[in-house]
Amino acid sequence: MFQTTSFTTLIVGVFVVYVLHTCWVMYGIVYTKPCENPKLENCINPYLAGKPRLQLSIYTALRPNADGGHTLIHEEEDFDVETKFERIVNVSLPKKTCKNGTLYAMVFLHQAGMSPWQDPRQVHLVSQLTTYMIPKPPEVSLISGEEAEQLKRKPKGGDPAVDRPVSHWRSRLTLNVVSEDFIFDRDFLPSDVHRYLRVFQNGKKRVYLPLLFVDELSNRVKDLMEINSTSTELPLTISYDTISLGKLRFWIHMQDAVYSLQQFGFTEKDADEIKGIFVETNLYFLALTFFVAAFHLLFDFLAFKHDISFWKQKKSMVGMSSKAVLWRCFSTIVIFMYLFDEQTSLLVLIPAGVGSMIEVWKVKKAFKIQVIWKGVKPTFIFGKSDESERRTVEYDTLAMKYLSYLLYPMSLILSLMVSFLTGVYAFGFLFMLPQLFVNYKFKSVTHLPWKAFMYKAFNTFIDDIFAFIITMPTSHRLACFRDDVVFLVYLYQRWLYPVDKTRMNEYGLSYNEEEKPKGKSHKD
């Protein structure tokens, strides 16, 4: 009665539902239902609508509740909510902070001419100006030898204190205030804004004080400064700008997400990469990035699935370059290890790891390797090739012979100029060429896994976009554009050598037979 739903269709359906659900959630975050009639009792009106005179005051304290005293470091007497600014102030550090202690900033927005400690209509937030992180090791110049004497003076057993987190100074403090005169509906008050909302009764009206926000996402690792016992004064950049209500709600959710990741064991560097995506990217471009990332993961999964299906059914290596398969396995593993060592984004690292395992399995299939275990000792048995496969090997060897004329000079140059990994990236491009030569000799491309190839092709062009968004080494970024050239040549060969629908493939089936429906025939 019903056609069987394929696994691919099921996955694509789940993906579409996930994307639609995410869009709905994002819409619920950035959209807040306003109060339609400001005169109703359930409406909460903005305090800023009355254009009050405000003052911004910033204090430092050793404790978040200011027990033990506080110090004024900056104040804006004629604070204009609509005017953004940036100030650099020098902050004197208490002795406890210099001795691996902490320091807090207390930001007050209050009525002008009144002390924030006595103003009943003030709003304030507390932000930590210090954080703990393992200090960077001293850099050593291999050319000039600088810092070498410093390292020699260190004990050979190493100093365990070096691996201990020490206090670092956050040199930036970013503040925001919601400037729009938004009227909240008490029945539809967002839970994320509720903790920042202070409401008081003004006659018959309920009024909320300005929404003050400290942007913790702007605190980046590159801005941190190590605090030592000799540090007496450090600079602090205070930045202020307005923020929309929708962006404020989005930023609150992102800060909570980063904080949750840190509670689950994410390091400061891992959290910093996530912060960089939000802080250094336009929100509209960020939304586009999300959809591109989602499709990238979908195409990765589908490419892996069809690649495995193709190689699982493949019984012959006719028309396939075995040397290209072997090199692709080697280079994929080396690149994965390099990406892992460089602590690349998981969006790049996880597909690279899965691809490495698949490439190892494909080498086993390509060379017909059987592993027989005798206790803990494995024995490898290689299968024999038939006449058609030997012909493919001849073309593959001939292609490598022509390629060696370019390969050997490049090996000499790269060994003198660049690293081993850069050579892997460069040779990865060259070792894609034998397959093109084999296709040319056979005048056919039917032996290639085209479904997996097309998904990989889509991902290659997506990688071109991600090369400038996701954190990755420069070598891997250039490799994304390298693959474009080979894929375009493959597409040209696909057009040049059309499929002969009457010819049998290696499974003994023709194209027309493969396209026949598997269900029972019936009369209309």
Side-chain angles (χ1 to χ4, degrees):
M1 285 178 60
F2 299 100
Q3 292 184 349
T4 303
T5 304
S6 67
F7 182 69
T8 301
T9 305
L10 180 63
I11 292 297
V12 173
V14 171
F15 171 77
V16 171
V17 172
Y18 167 75
V19 170
L20 293 176
H21 176 264
T22 303
C23 293
W24 176 254
V25 171
M26 293 300 295
Y27 175 76
I29 290 176
V30 299
Y31 174 76
T32 305
K33 184 178 180 180
C35 189
E36 298 177 355
N37 188 355
K39 296 182 180 181
L40 295 178
E41 293 183 357
N42 61 333
C43 292
I44 307 176
N45 296 276
Y47 178 70
L48 292 177
K51 306 297 180 183
R53 289 184 63 245
L54 299 175
Q55 181 175 328
L56 181 71
S57 301
I58 303 175
Y59 297 81
T60 57
L62 291 173
R63 296 181 180 180
N65 56 3
D67 285 350
H70 52 270
T71 304
L72 179 65
I73 61 172
H74 183 71
E75 61 180 356
E76 293 280 334
E77 295 182 356
D78 296 321
F79 178 72
D80 183 7
V81 175
E82 300 291 344
T83 304
K84 66 179 182 179
F85 64 82
E86 184 171 290
R87 308 279 189 263
I88 300 177
V89 297
N90 292 322
V91 181
S92 298
L93 301 182
K95 291 183 179 180
K96 290 185 178 180
T97 304
C98 296
K99 296 179 181 179
N100 215 24
T102 57
L103 192 67
Y104 296 89
M106 306 186 69
V107 183
F108 288 86
L109 187 59
H110 56 97
Q111 298 180 75
M114 184 178 294
S115 172
W117 306 97
Q118 300 174 354
D119 185 4
R121 294 182 180 177
Q122 55 82 17
V123 289
H124 76 277
L125 290 175
V126 179
S127 177
Q128 193 168 329
L129 292 176
T130 56
T131 185
Y132 288 96
M133 197 175 70
I134 297 176
K136 293 181 180 179
E139 297 180 355
V140 180
S141 174
L142 298 178
I143 299 176
S144 63
E146 294 180 2
E147 295 287 340
E149 295 298 326
Q150 178 184 353
L151 291 176
K152 287 180 181 179
R153 289 195 295 267
K154 289 187 176 182
K156 294 183 180 180
D159 187 2
V162 174
D163 296 331
R164 283 190 316 205
V166 299
S167 187
H168 283 67
W169 178 254
R170 289 177 170 173
S171 59
R172 296 193 67 87
L173 180 63
T174 305
L175 310 175
N176 301 111
V177 173
V178 177
S179 59
E180 57 186 286
D181 295 335
F182 188 86
I183 302 176
F184 286 102
D185 190 331
R186 189 170 54 182
D187 296 333
F188 298 95
L189 189 63
S191 59
D192 43 40
V193 179
H194 189 271
R195 55 181 163 173
Y196 292 92
L197 207 65
R198 284 196 60 195
V199 181
F200 67 94
Q201 195 75 29
N202 186 13
K204 294 183 179 181
K205 290 185 178 180
R206 296 175 63 87
V207 180
Y208 69 91
L209 294 171
L211 290 172
L212 177 64
F213 180 69
V214 177
D215 186 2
E216 300 287 352
L217 294 178
S218 298
N219 293 326
R220 305 296 305 282
V221 170
K222 62 183 179 181
D223 298 325
L224 295 179
M225 303 170 63
E226 184 178 346
I227 301 175
N228 51 50
S229 57
T230 60
S231 303
T232 58
E233 199 175 71
L234 289 175
L236 177 65
T237 302
I238 303 172
S239 302
Y240 167 77
D241 199 359
T242 58
I243 189 172
S244 65
L245 180 60
K247 185 176 180 180
L248 172 67
R249 296 187 59 194
F250 180 77
W251 239 232
I252 291 173
H253 280 271
M254 293 306 104
Q255 283 193 175
D256 291 345
V258 172
Y259 177 77
S260 299
L261 292 175
Q262 289 178 316
Q263 297 302 307
F264 280 109
F266 270 56
T267 63
E268 188 76 24
K269 189 177 185 302
D270 294 332
D272 186 71
E273 289 188 4
I274 299 174
K275 290 179 182 179
I277 295 177
F278 296 111
V279 175
E280 298 176 355
T281 310
N282 182 275
L283 282 181
Y284 295 104
F285 193 59
L286 188 62
L288 175 63
T289 303
F290 164 76
F291 288 106
V292 170
F295 279 100
H296 189 281
L297 293 176
L298 175 66
F299 289 144
D300 267 334
F301 174 81
L302 294 177
F304 290 150
K305 173 187 176 297
H306 287 287
D307 205 16
I308 292 173
S309 300
F310 175 83
W311 282 89
K312 187 177 180 180
Q313 299 176 4
K314 196 167 184 61
K315 305 298 182 183
S316 173
M317 281 296 290
V318 176
M320 300 291 292
S321 173
S322 57
K323 292 183 176 62
V325 174
L326 183 62
W327 172 260
R328 190 161 54 246
C329 174
F330 171 73
S331 61
T332 303
I333 293 174
V334 172
I335 291 171
F336 168 72
M337 295 173 64
Y338 172 67
L339 295 175
F340 180 80
D341 183 65
E342 289 290 318
Q343 298 182 354
T344 308
S345 171
L346 293 178
L347 190 62
V348 178
L349 186 62
I350 292 177
V354 175
S356 300
M357 292 187 289
I358 293 177
E359 292 299 332
V360 172
W361 174 72
K362 285 163 63 174
V363 168
K364 178 179 177 296
K365 292 283 293 184
F367 290 89
K368 301 178 181 178
I369 302 174
Q370 293 183 351
V371 182
I372 301 177
W373 292 89
K374 296 180 180 179
V376 294
K377 183 180 179 182
T379 302
F380 298 94
I381 300 177
F382 293 84
K384 297 181 179 180
S385 303
D386 56 25
E387 184 62 31
S388 299
E389 289 177 323
R390 284 193 289 270
R391 183 183 169 197
T392 302
V393 172
E394 292 177 2
Y395 291 149
D396 198 11
T397 305
L398 184 61
M400 290 301 301
K401 178 182 177 182
Y402 295 147
L403 190 61
S404 65
Y405 298 146
L406 181 62
L407 192 63
Y408 295 144
M410 282 193 63
S411 300
L412 179 61
I413 296 173
L414 290 173
S415 63
L416 297 176
M417 298 179 58
V418 295
S419 65
F420 168 72
L421 183 88
T422 308
V424 169
Y425 277 112
F427 296 150
F429 173 74
L430 295 177
F431 274 91
M432 292 179 181
L433 303 181
Q435 184 62 61
L436 299 177
F437 184 79
V438 172
N439 296 344
Y440 164 73
K441 282 295 186 178
F442 274 93
K443 298 294 188 294
S444 173
V445 292
T446 56
H447 44 267
L448 297 177
W450 279 101
K451 286 186 178 180
F453 164 75
M454 291 309 300
Y455 289 126
K456 290 181 179 179
F458 291 144
N459 260 356
T460 298
F461 295 110
I462 291 176
D463 285 338
D464 295 344
I465 302 174
F466 265 85
F468 299 100
I469 301 175
I470 298 298
T471 302
M472 63 177 67
T474 305
S475 302
H476 195 72
R477 184 173 285 124
L478 294 176
C480 296
F481 297 99
R482 171 204 74 182
D483 296 339
D484 294 344
V485 179
V486 177
F487 279 140
L488 289 175
V489 177
Y490 276 135
L491 289 176
Y492 172 72
Q493 287 187 330
R494 172 77 168 178
W495 171 80
L496 190 63
Y497 310 132
V499 178
D500 184 0
K501 298 185 178 182
T502 62
R503 185 174 61 184
M504 298 291 183
N505 63 9
E506 62 266 31
Y507 310 119
L509 297 173
S510 66
Y511 180 87
N512 292 329
E513 289 177 339
E514 290 178 339
E515 293 297 316
K516 287 180 180 179
K518 296 182 180 179
K520 295 181 180 180
S521 59
H522 61 277
K523 295 182 180 179
D524 294 333

